Amino acid sequence: MSIGHTLLGLLESGPRHGYDLKRTFDEKFGQDRPLHYGQVYSTMSRLLKNGLVEVDGVESEGGPERKRYAITDAGITDVTQWLAQPEKPEPYLQSTLYTKVVLALLTDRSAADLLDAQRSAHLRMMRILTDRKRKGDLADQLICDHALFHLEADLRWLELTAARLDQLAKVVAP
Amino acid sequence: MIPDGSLLAAHDLRKTYGSTPALDGASFSVHPGEVVAVMGPSGSGKSTLLHCLAGIITPDSGTITYAGRELSAMPDAERSALRRSDFGFVFQFGQLVPELTCVENVALPLRLNGVRRKAAERTALEWMERLEVDDLGAQRPGEVSGGQGQRVAVARALAGSPKVIFADEPTGALDSLNGERVMELLTEAARSANVAVVLVTHEARVAAYSDRDVTVRDGRARDLEHAV
């Protein structure tokens, strides 16, 4: 999953401190793998260098300095492109796909379009594998079948999520 | 509004059952020899779309053009004749006539178009050989397995030299191995005979045998191949 894009997406709703970004990330996406502070700050300095975020203010309040980050126009364009680009169909995509769907809902983009584009990319890959299977020997057939079953499971998840988008929107972006 | 070179094209189809819209501005096209999968959740309108395209039901509005002719404006008798001469059908099950042998079933479309029995059965056997069921000629549908019956049904759909085959969940009642073999044989035979196939399915593995897929959602057909 792209942590940079996810943090950028979270900044779209307004400027945040690094700590606040980490907390929101962990709450929404980090159930199994919470972010380390080091990851947040190295990611933010990369985004800053690339002009995708800017420092919106610095506070210290007696403690160490805390930077507040804001997304730039280039950052918004970057998130838009990331969400619109289907993931390369391969097994175990669910965490990235789930993140994209939630971010689309949080930022008022079309999660249904995102799911449809992904469905189409998956089917295209299934078509390529089916063709390879048809022309190949038994070993090719078995290898392709394994990949096909995984992609099919992803597709079912995409269908189910598409059918539950309204419900999910109420949970993640009340 | 009709895509260049398409054999069968529908534009802005609408169909309502009572107060429930089944099709709500659906468009679709298929080229000669092309296999297009129509996918979508249950109740999305995919079977209604197939039935409209095949001239089995008439849409409330919209146009369907087949080989340059307006299907929706044809008199019923002409549309029925066209269905017999140019269209083939494969359904999920229950389509073979139980009283006839398998070869008689496959020969049926030819007989209905006036071909003499011997010639019709000779052609029928050629198609049965292609579908690997030529040894079942003398059996009745009740005596063959589900997978064999579907291959007989595919042979029958192809025997009348149709230009389009409409297949509605053709593997729906089969296990995955038999289903895949039926899809392999159906698509190979159709492509080599330059027959277009409109394939309704909710299974991605079946749709993967197509050249292109169209998704029907809430009565509208979306063709994402060209949108991404």
Side-chain angles (χ1 to χ4, degrees):
Chain A
M1 182 185 358
S2 166
I3 293 169
H5 286 118
T6 311
L7 295 180
L8 271 179
L10 291 176
L11 280 175
E12 271 203 57
S13 59
R16 291 170 194 259
H17 295 111
Y19 174 76
D20 190 21
L21 273 173
K22 174 196 154 37
R23 211 191 48 208
T24 312
F25 181 98
D26 288 351
E27 194 181 288
K28 293 200 183 298
F29 310 114
Q31 289 88 346
D32 307 327
R33 275 180 304 173
L35 281 185
H36 298 297
Y37 283 108
Q39 268 176 301
V40 178
Y41 291 109
S42 64
T43 305
M44 292 321 289
S45 63
R46 182 172 51 82
L47 296 177
L48 200 58
K49 201 174 78 192
N50 295 338
L52 303 177
V53 298
E54 59 196 9
V55 176
D56 184 56
V58 182
E59 293 161 19
S60 55
E61 287 175 19
E65 279 192 348
R66 298 199 308 163
K67 285 180 187 158
R68 200 171 58 215
Y69 298 98
I71 192 166
T72 61
D73 287 345
I76 292 175
T77 306
D78 205 49
V79 178
T80 304
Q81 282 169 353
W82 181 62
L83 289 176
Q85 178 70 43
E87 294 296 313
K88 187 166 171 279
E90 58 189 23
Y92 313 117
L93 267 179
Q94 70 277 33
S95 70
T96 308
L97 290 181
Y98 176 76
T99 303
K100 281 190 164 187
V101 169
V102 171
L103 268 185
L105 291 172
L106 284 173
T107 56
D108 268 337
R109 292 180 171 92
S110 171
D113 284 355
L114 183 160
L115 288 169
D116 270 346
Q118 190 65 53
R119 256 191 85 258
S120 189
H122 265 63
L123 260 174
R124 261 202 301 277
M125 179 56 78
M126 288 183 76
R127 208 170 272 133
I128 291 168
L129 289 165
T130 301
D131 199 45
R132 195 180 299 163
K133 196 170 97 168
R134 198 160 41 192
K135 293 170 184 156
D137 58 16
L138 184 60
D140 287 326
Q141 288 171 15
L142 291 173
I143 290 164
C144 290
D145 268 333
H146 182 263
L148 281 164
F149 278 120
H150 279 286
L151 292 171
E152 190 186 24
D154 269 355
L155 268 175
R156 287 189 187 175
W157 181 85
L158 290 168
E159 284 292 335
L160 203 66
T161 306
R164 290 175 173 170
L165 272 182
D166 291 347
Q167 246 177 301
L168 184 63
K170 281 185 200 141
V171 178
V172 299
Chain B
M1 287 304 172
I2 299 165
D4 281 349
S6 65
L7 175 64
L8 176 66
H11 179 64
D12 201 19
L13 296 186
R14 285 166 205 279
K15 177 78 186 172
T16 304
Y17 294 112
S19 60
T20 318
L23 292 178
D24 187 19
S27 296
F28 177 89
S29 70
V30 62
H31 289 70
E34 188 185 29
V35 181
V36 179
V38 179
M39 303 190 71
S42 305
S44 58
K46 53 189 193 298
S47 286
T48 304
L49 176 62
L50 180 129
H51 290 147
C52 285
L53 292 169
I56 296 169
I57 57 176
T58 312
D60 299 335
S61 67
T63 53
I64 301 166
T65 314
Y66 171 73
R69 295 154 74 194
E70 171 78 56
L71 200 69
S72 22
M74 273 181 203
D76 281 351
E78 198 180 331
R79 205 164 44 231
S80 296
L82 180 78
R83 266 207 308 273
R84 267 206 312 276
S85 64
D86 285 34
F87 295 170
F89 295 89
V90 184
F91 299 109
Q92 194 166 341
F93 50 75
Q95 54 206 304
L96 299 172
V97 183
E99 291 81 8
L100 300 180
T101 63
C102 287
V103 74
E104 286 166 346
N105 263 290
V106 177
L108 197 59
L110 294 159
R111 299 283 288 136
L112 290 174
N113 281 333
V115 179
R116 298 176 75 89
R117 203 172 82 127
K118 236 179 170 165
E121 291 192 357
R122 199 168 46 237
T123 307
L125 266 176
E126 280 168 22
W127 280 108
M128 290 179 78
E129 200 174 327
R130 198 79 181 262
L131 274 294
E132 301 170 350
V133 283
D134 47 320
D135 53 336
L136 303 177
Q139 315 235 38
R140 289 181 206 282
E143 298 164 343
V144 304
S145 73
Q148 291 168 331
Q150 274 315 76
R151 292 187 207 184
V152 173
V154 171
R156 183 174 72 176
L158 285 157
S161 305
K163 304 282 190 298
V164 188
I165 286 184
F166 296 94
D168 195 353
E169 303 280 5
T171 63
L174 304 179
D175 62 61
S176 63
L177 210 57
N178 267 303
E180 297 217 5
R181 191 70 191 132
V182 165
M183 283 314 300
E184 233 173 82
L185 293 167
L186 165 62
T187 50
E188 255 172 45
R191 283 187 181 114
S192 65
N194 208 32
V195 176
V197 179
V198 181
L199 166 71
V200 165
T201 180
H202 67 278
E203 284 181 77
R205 288 172 67 85
V206 172
Y209 283 89
S210 66
D211 300 309
R212 186 159 62 86
D213 61 286
V214 166
T215 301
V216 183
R217 225 183 272 288
D218 302 325
R220 300 177 72 89
R222 298 191 66 187
D223 182 349
L224 277 161
E225 287 300 300
H226 308 295
V228 178

